Amino acid sequence: MSKKLVVANWKMHGNLAVNQQLIAAYVHRLLPFNNIEVVVCVPYPYLAQMQSLLEGTPIAWGAQNLSKDTEGAYTGEVSAGMLKDFGASYVIIGHSERATAYCESDENIATKFMQARTHGLTPILCVGETLIEREAGVMERVVAKQIDTIIHMYGAAIFADTVISYEPIWAIGTGLAATPDQAQSMHEFIRNRISVHDIDAAQRLKILYGGSVNPQNAVQLFVMQDIDGGLVGRCSLNADEFAGICRAASETGLPQV
Ligand code: 13P
């Protein structure tokens, strides 16, 4: 078992003043939980602010997207190297809010995953099904396709020391989280899918659950065997709620040091 990981995804929220207060509250409230890893993923313009506020603290920071290209005439895009310039160590890739709204293909997402790895960023790959797909019973097929694209393009070993977040689209921002059994079953499926090709990579992969995680449901989710932590949207905008989720990760994870 490795340390549980809790990632805040602020989405398109915040401003300089609000961020400063929220980060101060995070740092203060998360101090007791020294057996977990915490990451905050912010909009691009606030990476510099995170670097100045979080350097020297146990909290790491990252972005919510990156370009699939390294450099060039790609107006509006941000490269992995640029994220590194601001001390980012993580990047969310393929979030469903982007995949649907900005028509990201599985191949594009796979290329971004590779870009992140090549530049020493830890990718957090989001996978998950819609409600219609779950009701049709094809959720495993949908998630498998997202993962298999990366395996076919780059091989399963690329998943070692990376993060996959299972985010059922019907659970995001709805207040209706997956049940611990539903989440565990998909997490186990994901780990097995990679394990068939590369047991070591599958063991070194962290699999987070995302979708309406809150302080009330976090313990029941995090206690499941293949749930290594959470990717948190709404509740990450409130330091008390986020700290409650981190407490759940701390209580269900490795012993405190
Ligand atoms: P909520 O926690 O608001 O449901 O968002 C989940 C999510 O999309 C995290 O990436």
Side-chain angles (χ1 to χ4, degrees), residues 7-11 92 95-97 126 165 167-168 171-176 209-214 230-236 245:
V7 180
N9 175 9
W10 283 2
K11 307 192 179 183
I92 296 173
H95 193 285
S96 62
E97 285 158 9
C126 298
S165 185
E167 299 212 310
I172 297 176
T174 59
L176 183 77
Y209 168 76
S212 298
V213 177
N214 61 40
L231 179 54
V232 184
R234 191 187 54 79
C235 284
S236 71
I245 293 168

Side-chain angles (χ1 to χ4, degrees), residues 2 5 113 122-125 147 156 158-165 187 190-195 198-208 226-228:
S2 62
L5 170 65
F113 194 89
T122 303
I124 302 169
L125 172 75
I147 291 168
I158 197 172
F159 282 106
D161 305 319
T162 68
V163 181
I164 292 180
S165 185
H187 283 223
I190 292 170
R191 209 180 294 282
N192 287 341
R193 193 89 190 168
I194 292 165
S195 183
D198 192 321
I199 295 173
D200 178 58
Q203 281 170 351
R204 285 163 56 188
L205 165 75
K206 280 195 195 329
I207 309 179
L208 308 183
D226 286 291
I227 302 188
D228 301 314

